[in-house]
Amino acid sequence: MASPLTPFAMAALATYAVPGLDIVGVRADRDGADYSFAVAEDAQGRFWVIRTPHSAAAGAGQEAEVVLLRSLAAASASGTLPFEVPRPRGFAPMADGGRAMVYPALPGVPVVMELLEPGPGLAVGIGRALAAMHELARSLVEEVGLPTYTPEEYRTRLRSEVEDAARTGYLTSRLVDRWLGRLDQDELWAFTPVVIHGDMAPDHMLTEHGRVSAILDFSTVQVSDPAEDLAPMLAAASPEAAESILEGYRANRSGLDDPHMPARAEFLAEIAVARWLLYGVRHDDEAIVDDARAMLVDLDKAVAEQEHQAEVARLDSERRAREAAERHAAAERASARADRETAERRAIQDASQTSVINLDSEENSLPPVIPPPTPPAPSVPAVPAASSEDRPDGAPERRSVADGKVGVWPRRRQRVPTWEETEIPAASDDEPPKPPKPPKPPKADKADKPAKPDKQDEPEKPAKPAKEPVIPESPRISFAQIMRGTEPEDGAGSGDKPAKPADAKQRSAPADEAKASGDGEPSDDGKSSARPSGER
């Protein structure tokens, strides 16, 4: 087709399309990719919208839209759709083919997403309006012959668009890898196709008194991904307002089970820039290409910042999870320790408490206690009781230790035996007297002593064996010799001078005297032993 028409040419087409229409004013409204729009005012002050297609394809799409608008108008009149839709009043043929469509202007102004406030109100109303259109029967679109896509066909179409945009050379590797990576995620594209608008730009939605009053331009209606309509709204709104839109949408969708729809909407909002770039390249429009390239640079910076923040958030989440796990483990250890201590205290308390036991019953009867055997008392030799002759006058009788009592009188001095009771051993001629101990040599003068050698140079001397002490033999003294004061015989005594041996007469004199007196007694070997009878 030829270039877009002027507003006055479009006003002339409007007077032909609607007989009796008296136009007093006209102005250009907007110029889209496929259609041109103008707004005319009649003599009664009513406003009319005039739309002309730019191409034959756009003209064919408009014809299908006209058929769909009849069904949508019926749904709007019945309340199924909570907004108004265009109602065509006439058509005018164009010289280059196609038809100009004229319909009364709908109330409201285009929504400004930057000023959209979160919470109940317009944000929730936008979500409710989109949900109502997605609830329409798919047959409305299929009967008209508009496009219908399965999830796999829709994903293939998007992949081809990314590859075409990458071949222009204006996409960064970060964006290409990001988009192709999203398309490779199978779980992301598991959605149920529904009736969608297909070009839900903010200027296609009119609002009035805080509600959605009308939706325009249904030429791109198709059966496809519902995230396609949510993408431009969520991308233009603030995060809080976008959450309100999603809240209103989920509340008015029946049987919605699509947790990945927000992620797809974000991806499709980025793809829209690539689509705008492809449109400028295909129509050889340098202004659109430059605009799209500037948008791609800003998008690449935003994606880089978003990935950085996501990595920081991931690391922080891992740190928090690790700290939470450590706190949980410490709490479990403390709890286990407290339980163990409580159990030990209860065990001690139970053990300390005495329980009443019926000893008469067989079950609780205790075995007899058998005392250990008593060891025998140590044997103590009995001390014979002292006779009356051996204890002092008036002293009580001394008991033995075995009787459990101890004597009470003082111990007597040991009685010295009389000479008659003393046995005098016979002198032995075979034992020679011990020689006297030689005197010790005089000590050498200190001055004459040689110098002691150095202990380090002097060799070690072997240790001398210890000398056994010499115990002198006790002299054999008789009681009679003690009384006479004579020295011991046969050299048995000690001293420096050995005893002089007696002659034979002196040795035989006591024996003769004993024989004469008749006091000798025969000994065991047939000899008589004489006992002196001297005085005491």
Side-chain angles (χ1 to χ4, degrees):
M1 287 189 178
S3 60
L5 300 176
T6 62
F8 293 102
M10 296 177 67
L13 291 174
T15 57
Y16 178 83
V18 180
L21 180 61
D22 186 10
I23 295 178
V24 296
V26 63
R27 60 178 176 84
D29 185 22
R30 52 193 171 93
D31 191 9
D34 295 325
Y35 301 95
S36 294
F37 295 87
V39 177
E41 181 181 2
D42 63 3
Q44 288 81 20
R46 296 175 301 179
F47 292 92
W48 299 79
V49 176
I50 309 167
R51 189 178 78 170
T52 59
H54 290 171
S55 62
Q62 179 175 272
E63 296 300 324
E65 178 185 3
V66 170
V67 178
L68 179 64
L69 285 176
R70 297 192 187 100
S71 301
L72 296 179
S76 175
S78 64
T80 303
L81 294 178
F83 50 83
E84 292 290 336
V85 297
R87 300 171 185 267
R89 295 289 298 271
F91 300 90
M94 299 176 61
D96 296 336
R99 295 189 305 173
M101 182 175 67
V102 180
Y103 61 89
L106 298 175
V109 295
V111 61
V112 181
M113 300 302 298
E114 292 78 10
L115 301 179
L116 185 64
E117 295 182 358
L122 182 58
V124 175
I126 292 174
R128 182 168 55 250
L130 295 177
M133 186 167 54
H134 293 172
E135 289 290 319
L136 292 174
R138 295 173 53 178
S139 59
L140 295 179
V141 177
E142 295 171 351
E143 290 173 357
V144 176
L146 292 174
T148 301
Y149 297 98
T150 64
E152 190 59 32
E153 292 172 348
Y154 183 70
R155 184 162 58 158
T156 303
R157 172 190 168 194
L158 293 175
R159 188 183 296 275
S160 64
E161 291 177 351
V162 172
E163 293 173 354
D164 292 343
R167 280 192 290 268
T168 63
Y170 298 133
L171 294 182
T172 62
S173 59
R174 178 186 290 108
L175 292 178
V176 174
D177 295 340
R178 175 183 175 88
W179 292 344
L180 292 179
R182 294 289 183 87
L183 289 171
D184 291 336
Q185 300 177 10
D186 295 336
E187 67 279 0
L188 191 66
W189 302 99
F191 63 87
T192 301
V194 296
V195 176
I196 64 172
H197 184 277
D199 188 16
M200 187 56 70
D203 56 351
H204 288 168
M205 179 176 288
L206 304 180
T207 61
E208 185 181 33
H209 305 302
R211 67 178 186 86
V212 177
S213 58
I215 292 180
L216 309 175
D217 196 0
F218 288 88
S219 60
T220 56
V221 171
Q222 57 187 296
V223 175
S224 186
D225 187 2
E228 186 85 36
D229 287 346
L230 288 168
M233 296 296 178
L234 298 181
S238 64
E240 295 79 8
E243 186 62 30
S244 298
I245 293 174
L246 286 175
E247 181 182 353
Y249 181 81
R250 293 191 184 101
N252 291 272
R253 280 295 308 274
S254 59
L256 178 63
D257 185 13
D258 192 357
H260 301 289
M261 185 171 59
R264 291 199 313 276
E266 180 183 6
F267 168 75
L268 292 172
E270 297 175 5
I271 289 293
V273 182
R275 288 174 174 173
W276 183 240
L277 174 67
L278 290 176
Y279 179 84
V281 171
R282 290 166 181 169
H283 290 78
D284 198 15
D285 192 333
E286 293 295 334
I288 295 178
V289 172
D290 293 341
D291 183 40
R293 292 179 60 183
M295 295 173 66
L296 288 172
V297 172
D298 295 339
L299 179 61
D300 184 72
K301 293 180 181 179
V303 168
E305 181 64 22
Q306 182 182 5
E307 291 178 352
H308 174 69
Q309 293 179 358
E311 182 65 17
V312 172
R314 184 185 65 81
L315 295 176
D316 185 65
S317 177
E318 291 179 356
R319 179 183 60 81
R320 292 176 182 273
R322 185 169 57 254
E323 292 176 353
E326 292 175 356
R327 289 194 298 269
H328 181 68
E332 285 186 348
R333 290 194 297 269
S335 178
R337 183 168 57 252
D339 294 344
R340 186 169 57 254
E341 293 176 355
T342 302
E344 291 176 356
R345 285 196 298 269
R346 287 180 179 175
I348 294 173
Q349 293 175 359
D350 294 343
S352 62
Q353 293 177 357
T354 57
S355 59
V356 180
I357 301 176
N358 185 10
L359 297 179
D360 295 336
S361 66
E362 243 178 66
E363 189 177 334
N364 296 329
S365 61
L366 299 176
V369 179
I370 302 175
T374 305
S379 61
V380 179
V383 179
S387 62
S388 59
E389 296 177 356
D390 297 333
R391 65 174 180 268
D393 297 337
E397 181 181 0
R398 183 173 181 177
R399 302 296 182 98
S400 65
V401 179
D403 296 338
K405 297 181 181 179
V406 182
V408 295
W409 72 91
R411 182 180 297 278
R412 291 180 59 194
R413 292 172 54 188
Q414 186 175 3
R415 183 173 61 86
V416 181
T418 60
W419 65 273
E420 292 88 353
E421 297 173 351
T422 304
E423 181 180 357
I424 301 175
S428 174
D429 297 337
D430 299 334
E431 295 182 2
K434 292 184 178 181
K437 186 177 182 181
K440 295 181 180 180
K443 296 182 180 179
D445 192 4
K446 293 183 179 180
D448 299 338
K449 289 183 179 180
K452 293 183 179 179
D454 192 359
K455 289 184 179 181
Q456 297 179 357
D457 300 335
E458 183 180 0
E460 296 183 359
K461 296 180 180 181
K464 295 181 180 181
K467 293 182 179 181
E468 296 182 359
V470 180
I471 302 175
E473 187 177 357
S474 300
R476 299 177 181 178
I477 305 174
S478 66
F479 184 78
Q481 289 173 344
I482 293 174
M483 297 303 296
R484 288 197 298 269
T486 60
E487 294 181 356
E489 298 177 357
D490 300 334
S494 64
D496 296 337
K497 184 177 181 180
K500 182 179 180 180
D503 52 6
K505 291 182 181 181
Q506 291 177 354
R507 287 195 303 270
S508 62
D512 295 341
E513 289 178 2
K515 289 178 181 180
S517 61
D519 294 335
E521 297 179 359
S523 60
D524 296 339
D525 54 359
K527 297 181 181 181
S528 62
S529 60
R531 179 173 300 194
S533 60
E535 293 181 357
R536 210 172 185 180

